[in-house]
Amino acid sequence: MLLLTSARRLRGAPLRRLYHDESFGYRAPRACVFPDYTPAQLSNRAENAALLRYVDSVRTHGHRAARIDPLDLIQRMEVKALDPTRYGLVDSNKKYNVNGIIWTNPNVESQGENQEEWWTLDEITRHLRLTYVGRIAYEYMHSPSKSERLWFSHHLESNQTTPPVLDKKRIHGLLARSEVLDNFLQLKFPNLKRYGLEGGESMLPALDALFSSAVRASMSNIILAMPHRGRLNLLTDLLAYSPTALFHKIRGGSEVPEELGAEGDVLSHLVSSTDIGGVKVSLLPNPSHLEAVAGVALGKTRAKQYSLLKTSPDDCMLGDRVMCVQLHGDASFTGQGVVMESLGLSNLPHFTSGGTVHLVVDNNIGYTTPASHARSSMYCSDIGKMINAPVLHVNGDHPEDVVRAMDVAFRYRQYFRKDIIVDLLVYRRWGHNELDLPSLTSPLMYEQIAARRSVPQLYEEKLINEQVISAGDAAVLRDSYKVYLNDQLAKVEGYTPSASMLEAQWRGIVWPASSEASSSPSTGVDTQTLINVGEASVRVPSGFEIHPKLQRHIKNRLGSLTKGTGIDWASAEALAFGSLLMEGYDVRISGQDVGRGTFSQRHAMLVDQTNEGTVVPLNDELKAKGKLELANSSLSEMAVLSFEYGASWERPDLLPIWEAQFGDFFNGAQIIIDTFITSSETKWLKQSGIVMLLPHGLDGAGPEHSSSRIERMLQLSNDRYSLSDDIPNTNERNYRKPLIVAGPKGLLRLSAAASSLSDMGPGTSFQPVLSDDVSNPERIIFLTGKIYYDLIKERHTRGLDGKVAFVRIEELSPFPFEEVRDVLQRYGGKAECFWLQEEPRNQGAWGYESALPAPGVGKLYKKQQEEVLGSAFMGL
């Protein structure tokens, strides 16, 4: 097989616009070219056109007749396209040359001109049905890539393999231990919502096969995201999570040390990282909002490969060493919009991570909603066709077929570095949880499920009949695991949880609540360094033709640097980015039109007007150790913000920024803000340096382009998360916190809002409070935002410059109490104080209180509830 590493080398490939492709962070996608048909094969295809139509019809429509549903509830009509007589092929004994029509030789290179192979129509039909109409169904003929279609047909039709004996024993062990665990938990904790794996146990050998393939491919990391179903089974088996820790959590204990003051999370969100054959597999925490973790996983996967983009040769591909694996439920995969948004990122230049393997644990029901009411398509996986992803449907009652499907999926991902979907059709033995009664709404389905023997039992019988294992071997395996679980349960009383959140790349970072955390570091930079950075930010290479209107942009920036005053927002931002790059930090900013900036203010990326070539001056001219990645994104909020957030989990030395076109566009990502950004630290001990730039200000632009909803951010804050009108150097702190910036629009170029180089020089730091130089004012007005500049004009017009003092609160949370106290003492204690804002009274910063997410630890919830109840009767 011929592998090419650059899409531009493909002969006859469709023309692609290279705009933005050459900026830092872009890596040419892997292109795999399958050898085309030889002249002899083309001639044979023309001579046997009817046979070719029949073969392609089976490849295209075979999935519609495949035996992929373990309950056989999928209503299927007769697939007439699979009948050879429809194509004039009536003689089952007639022989045909199948060279170039069916692939029979596993060695592609040897399938040459003179290798005729004659099969009867009956042999052809049997071979096609064995391949495409069995317990694995394939959908790949919708791909617009001829190479991908040829790869699949060759691989499937020329490779008929069965797992070796040792693999069968391993499959059995995984299935049996999963069933023992579920039965054990049901016996010991009958009222527990554990979201067990009964009916879907084949998920474990599926993942085991995928992990084993990654080991053989010399990978280093797998980033794994999954919902709640089967999570405990996976954790305690393949991911080596301590059953004692699990039982401790079930009994109401915390999964994190109590001295950290964290809230914790519920049982079905537990996590683990473990080494499997040299591959570190990391299961990410996730909220109960199904699929919300998808973008986070993608961002973390790409960030883990970030150093490759800076140091490796061009033939080092994204996905060589790190792979993203995502598990889904059928209802959420087809129903949640973030799935579409995340899939849309999969092949974008600054977002691809080298291909994700998606495994859908398909129950054919969502909560109580049957599939016929849960989606408009035939399969839940049809959403993947928006990116032309191939789909493999496999019957979960047959674990060996599941393993084979995963092997095909991994091989495809390795060749093409694209997403692929495995639709694992299973059933849910109980309801949405073990306390549910699914027969209330799906009586016929659950009547059939109740009469079925379990997947582990069926496979165990199969192996006993094949004499792979004995009945005694099976009993010993189950009994010994039950003894092990009982031993682990007995150790709960002496169990103490530990925390490992400051290891590996997080060494040197401290816990934010510790005494070692630095609160107000100096963020100043040498003045000459700032000038050098500023000049480099607008330096245009020789022969590079920029837009004529940018000449003024360059002139103004250079002029302000020369004078040392008049530094506007975009210039100050460039100085901040460039100084970070010179210190070795990387900066990544994503969102719509971030290279230019929504308001045409940034111009961090310049575009040649003659050929659309691009340069990023801060990279090309500074030549610093750190790099600036400008990731102009798709029109997505939830997936893109979660992607950047995932990157922040992986790299404390990265400043990841998501910029909304307008402040309230974050509405589309509210779930990420609620369940990740504002609560991950207290739920999962996860720090993040994510920055959200939200242009804010009421200026007559209408309800969708004005407010960044400061009140929502403050409601989610507990005085730990920064909400600011400026960008302090967050990476200078020895811990990481999210930063929400209610950024400017009209102030971007306002001369009165400009700064001087001395404001950023050595010894300076971010100022959370800015006050007027007024002696003994009669009134003090506290405020924040752009209205200040309107107020000072109005104050001067009314002749009240000496009577009214304005105090700007530049950091709303954590609230700067000490700085405000100092200002009040300086003004004296006689002035009346007001808060003023342009937002309505029920919006903006007025009246916010502390907030915490609901606890996920039973004992902590009980304590908080008792306090609430007690407060009702306090003092009586």
Side-chain angles (χ1 to χ4, degrees):
M1 184 171 294
L2 177 62
L3 290 178
L4 297 183
T5 59
S6 173
R8 284 169 289 162
R9 301 180 197 172
L10 296 183
R11 182 185 304 171
L15 294 176
R16 298 181 60 213
R17 293 186 65 197
L18 299 182
Y19 180 65
H20 290 193
D21 280 2
E22 300 305 318
S23 63
F24 174 74
Y26 172 78
R27 184 57 63 98
R30 164 173 282 189
C32 179
V33 181
F34 199 93
D36 202 354
Y37 302 106
T38 65
Q41 289 171 341
L42 289 172
S43 175
N44 187 48
R45 287 164 65 86
E47 184 178 340
N48 291 290
L51 177 63
L52 177 61
R53 288 177 57 215
Y54 170 54
V55 171
D56 275 349
S57 288
V58 177
R59 290 167 177 161
T60 303
H61 301 290
H63 65 92
R64 294 164 54 196
R67 304 183 302 277
I68 55 177
D69 181 11
L71 300 181
D72 200 24
L73 294 177
I74 298 178
Q75 296 181 2
R76 296 184 181 274
M77 305 294 288
E78 179 186 359
V79 186
K80 295 183 178 180
L82 304 182
D83 183 359
T85 62
R86 292 180 66 87
Y87 309 95
L89 307 174
V90 294
D91 185 355
S92 61
N93 294 317
K94 182 178 178 179
K95 288 192 173 184
Y96 297 86
N97 179 12
V98 298
N99 186 28
I101 298 176
I102 295 177
W103 301 97
T104 61
N105 191 334
N107 188 352
V108 179
E109 285 73 15
S110 65
Q111 195 147 318
E113 297 238 6
N114 301 316
Q115 290 187 343
E116 294 185 359
E117 189 167 356
W118 296 83
W119 288 18
T120 66
L121 177 61
D122 186 55
E123 290 173 329
I124 292 170
T125 298
R126 284 202 309 269
H127 185 74
L128 291 174
R129 285 192 164 270
L130 180 65
T131 303
Y132 294 108
V133 196
R135 293 186 292 259
I136 309 177
Y138 303 92
E139 291 187 273
Y140 64 87
M141 291 294 284
H142 59 273
S143 173
S145 167
K146 181 182 69 174
S147 290
E148 292 184 34
R149 297 194 305 272
L150 286 174
W151 182 91
F152 262 106
S153 57
H154 175 269
H155 182 78
L156 299 178
E157 293 163 19
S158 64
N159 290 279
Q160 299 292 337
T161 61
T162 56
V165 172
L166 288 178
D167 283 351
K168 291 185 178 183
K169 290 184 176 180
R170 183 167 177 81
I171 291 170
H172 170 257
L174 289 165
L175 298 175
R177 288 192 298 272
S178 179
E179 186 168 51
V180 170
L181 175 68
D182 280 325
N183 291 341
F184 184 87
L185 292 175
Q186 186 64 31
L187 177 66
K188 300 293 184 180
F189 308 100
N191 295 319
L192 175 68
K193 294 180 180 179
R194 53 186 165 80
Y195 305 101
L197 197 52
E198 293 105 318
E201 289 93 345
S202 287
M203 181 191 86
L204 291 179
L207 290 174
D208 184 56
L210 192 59
F211 297 163
S212 297
S213 295
V215 171
R216 290 191 293 271
S218 300
M219 287 191 162
S220 60
N221 291 87
I222 291 175
I223 306 301
L224 179 62
M226 72 175 297
H228 45 277
R229 188 180 182 209
R231 194 177 183 101
L232 305 186
N233 307 69
L234 174 62
L235 279 167
T236 54
D237 200 302
L238 289 175
L239 300 188
Y241 189 82
S242 164
T244 300
L246 175 66
F247 301 144
H248 170 80
K249 177 67 176 175
I250 292 174
R251 288 185 168 179
S254 175
E255 68 272 29
V256 299
E258 294 184 5
E259 61 268 18
L260 294 177
E263 298 282 300
D265 203 356
V266 296
L267 182 71
S268 54
H269 298 167
L270 292 174
V271 299
S272 178
S273 292
T274 190
D275 184 279
I276 299 178
V279 177
K280 184 178 181 182
V281 181
S282 301
L283 175 62
L284 299 186
N286 65 289
S288 293
H289 288 273
L290 299 178
E291 307 295 344
V293 73
V296 179
L298 292 174
K300 184 174 172 66
T301 303
R302 181 177 172 90
K304 192 169 280 292
Q305 305 174 79
Y306 202 91
S307 61
L308 298 177
L309 300 175
K310 297 170 64 176
T311 61
S312 62
D314 288 343
D315 60 355
C316 180
M317 294 287 99
L318 286 166
D320 280 354
R321 303 297 305 281
V322 186
M323 177 170 62
C324 183
V325 178
Q326 296 185 24
L327 276 70
H328 313 270
D330 53 307
S332 61
F333 195 59
T334 195
Q336 292 291 301
V338 70
V339 174
M340 181 277 293
E341 291 187 35
S342 300
L343 288 173
L345 300 179
S346 61
N347 296 320
L348 297 185
H350 294 277
F351 293 90
T352 182
S353 60
T356 297
V357 177
H358 300 269
L359 177 62
V360 184
V361 181
D362 187 349
N363 305 306
N364 217 21
I365 191 171
Y367 202 58
T368 62
T369 303
S372 58
H373 288 60
R375 60 178 182 265
S376 297
S377 57
M378 178 183 294
Y379 300 115
C380 66
S381 54
D382 285 341
I383 183 67
K385 292 178 182 177
M386 65 170 276
I387 60 168
N388 302 309
V391 180
L392 283 62
H393 308 275
V394 58
N395 190 324
D397 260 10
H398 300 274
E400 293 174 20
D401 291 303
V402 173
V403 169
R404 172 166 165 74
M406 296 306 292
D407 177 71
V408 173
F410 181 79
R411 291 175 184 272
Y412 170 86
R413 186 265 181 194
Q414 287 298 94
Y415 277 127
F416 295 100
R417 296 299 158 82
K418 291 184 177 181
D419 288 30
I420 185 168
I421 300 168
V422 177
D423 179 20
L424 176 62
L425 285 93
V426 294
Y427 58 89
R428 199 178 61 191
R429 182 163 291 278
W430 311 113
H432 176 66
N433 60 67
E434 289 71 26
L435 307 183
D436 193 17
L437 290 176
S439 57
L440 292 175
T441 51
S442 299
L444 297 182
M445 171 186 273
Y446 276 87
E447 180 181 10
Q448 187 176 147
I449 290 173
R452 293 177 62 86
R453 305 196 66 188
S454 71
V455 175
Q457 291 170 351
L458 291 173
Y459 190 66
E460 190 169 281
E461 288 181 2
K462 176 179 180 295
L463 295 194
I464 291 173
N465 292 335
E466 293 177 358
Q467 297 184 344
V468 174
I469 62 172
S470 67
D473 294 335
V476 167
L477 189 152
R478 290 172 177 269
D479 291 343
S480 62
Y481 193 59
K482 191 181 302 181
V483 170
Y484 168 72
L485 293 176
N486 272 307
D487 290 342
Q488 293 289 300
L489 181 60
K491 298 177 181 178
V492 168
E493 294 300 325
Y495 176 77
T496 302
S498 60
S500 59
M501 70 285 191
L502 299 176
E503 296 180 352
Q505 67 268 36
W506 285 88
R507 277 195 185 88
I509 303 296
V510 303
W511 184 240
S514 74
S515 59
E516 300 173 327
S518 58
S519 56
S520 300
S522 173
T523 57
V525 178
D526 175 72
T527 302
Q528 188 57 50
T529 299
L530 292 174
I531 293 173
N532 294 341
V533 168
E535 291 175 346
S537 71
V538 289
R539 191 172 295 137
V540 181
S542 175
F544 192 93
E545 187 174 328
I546 63 172
H547 195 283
K549 290 193 174 182
L550 288 183
Q551 295 292 351
R552 183 181 178 186
H553 166 79
I554 295 173
K555 180 181 177 181
N556 289 343
R557 180 166 298 180
L558 293 177
S560 65
L561 292 170
T562 300
K563 293 182 295 183
T565 59
I567 308 293
D568 62 16
W569 174 278
S571 297
E573 180 188 74
L575 299 182
F577 290 170
S579 59
L580 282 172
L581 301 182
M582 294 186 70
E583 293 176 17
Y585 294 107
D586 294 315
V587 179
R588 174 183 160 96
I589 178 168
S590 74
Q592 282 287 297
D593 200 22
V594 295
R596 185 199 71 164
T598 296
F599 307 100
S600 195
Q601 85 284 1
R602 180 171 292 123
H603 301 295
M605 173 185 289
L606 304 178
V607 181
D608 193 311
Q609 298 300 294
T610 62
N611 57 23
E612 290 193 343
T614 62
V615 295
V616 178
L618 281 176
N619 286 336
D620 296 349
E621 301 299 325
L622 274 185
K623 302 189 185 306
K625 182 179 178 182
K627 293 295 182 182
L628 171 63
E629 182 172 12
L630 298 168
N632 286 340
S633 75
S634 63
L635 188 56
S636 157
E637 285 85 36
M638 187 171 178
V640 175
L641 176 58
S642 61
F643 188 99
E644 305 309 324
Y645 185 75
S648 75
W649 270 4
E650 175 61 29
R651 296 194 57 213
D653 61 341
L654 171 72
L655 179 63
I657 303 171
W658 176 70
E659 181 177 61
Q661 277 189 305
F662 290 92
D664 72 339
F665 285 16
F666 78 85
N667 281 320
Q670 189 68 55
I671 287 173
I672 302 302
I673 296 166
D674 290 350
T675 61
F676 284 97
I677 293 176
T678 63
S679 56
S680 286
E681 183 182 302
T682 190
K683 289 191 300 187
W684 308 318
L685 306 183
K686 287 286 190 179
Q687 295 187 55
S688 166
I690 186 72
V691 176
M692 293 173 60
L693 292 181
L694 307 178
H696 174 86
L698 277 65
D699 49 16
E704 283 81 46
H705 293 82
S706 298
S707 175
S708 65
R709 303 294 178 185
I710 293 174
E711 65 279 358
R712 289 194 201 166
M713 303 300 176
L714 291 173
Q715 186 183 43
L716 293 167
S717 170
N718 61 355
D719 260 1
R720 299 176 186 173
Y721 301 97
S722 296
L723 178 68
S724 172
D725 290 323
D726 203 346
I727 308 182
N729 191 335
T730 56
N731 281 36
E732 290 296 329
R733 292 191 171 99
N734 58 356
Y735 60 90
R736 297 290 177 264
K737 286 283 188 180
L739 174 66
I740 314 298
V741 180
K745 295 184 290 180
L747 302 187
L748 287 169
R749 297 177 180 87
L750 185 68
S751 59
S755 300
S756 65
L757 287 177
S758 61
D759 294 330
M760 312 170 194
T764 60
S765 61
F766 174 68
Q767 300 300 304
V769 175
L770 299 174
S771 59
D772 288 350
D773 187 13
V774 177
S775 301
N776 301 315
E778 296 178 13
R779 176 174 295 176
I780 301 172
I781 296 180
F782 293 90
L783 54 94
T784 188
K786 72 177 182 63
I787 197 171
Y788 167 76
Y789 298 96
D790 298 323
L791 286 169
I792 56 176
K793 288 182 181 180
E794 186 69 18
R795 180 178 64 182
H796 183 71
T797 300
R798 293 172 180 259
L800 298 174
D801 288 343
K803 293 185 177 182
V804 179
F806 299 121
V807 180
R808 287 173 282 170
I809 309 299
E810 297 292 293
E811 180 181 275
L812 291 169
S813 173
F815 192 81
F817 289 103
E818 292 185 9
E819 290 83 355
V820 169
R821 187 187 306 113
D822 292 342
V823 169
L824 291 176
Q825 289 175 351
R826 178 164 58 84
Y827 284 148
K830 297 181 180 180
E832 57 182 355
C833 296
F834 293 87
W835 174 268
L836 184 144
Q837 64 181 38
E838 61 179 353
E839 299 89 355
R841 184 171 297 193
N842 66 337
Q843 297 179 22
W846 175 250
Y848 84 91
E849 296 183 5
S850 295
L852 279 173
V857 178
K859 291 179 181 178
L860 182 57
Y861 164 75
K862 184 177 180 182
K863 180 181 178 219
Q864 291 181 356
Q865 195 72 357
E866 289 172 351
E867 291 174 354
V868 172
L869 297 174
S871 66
F873 308 102
M874 188 178 296
L876 296 180

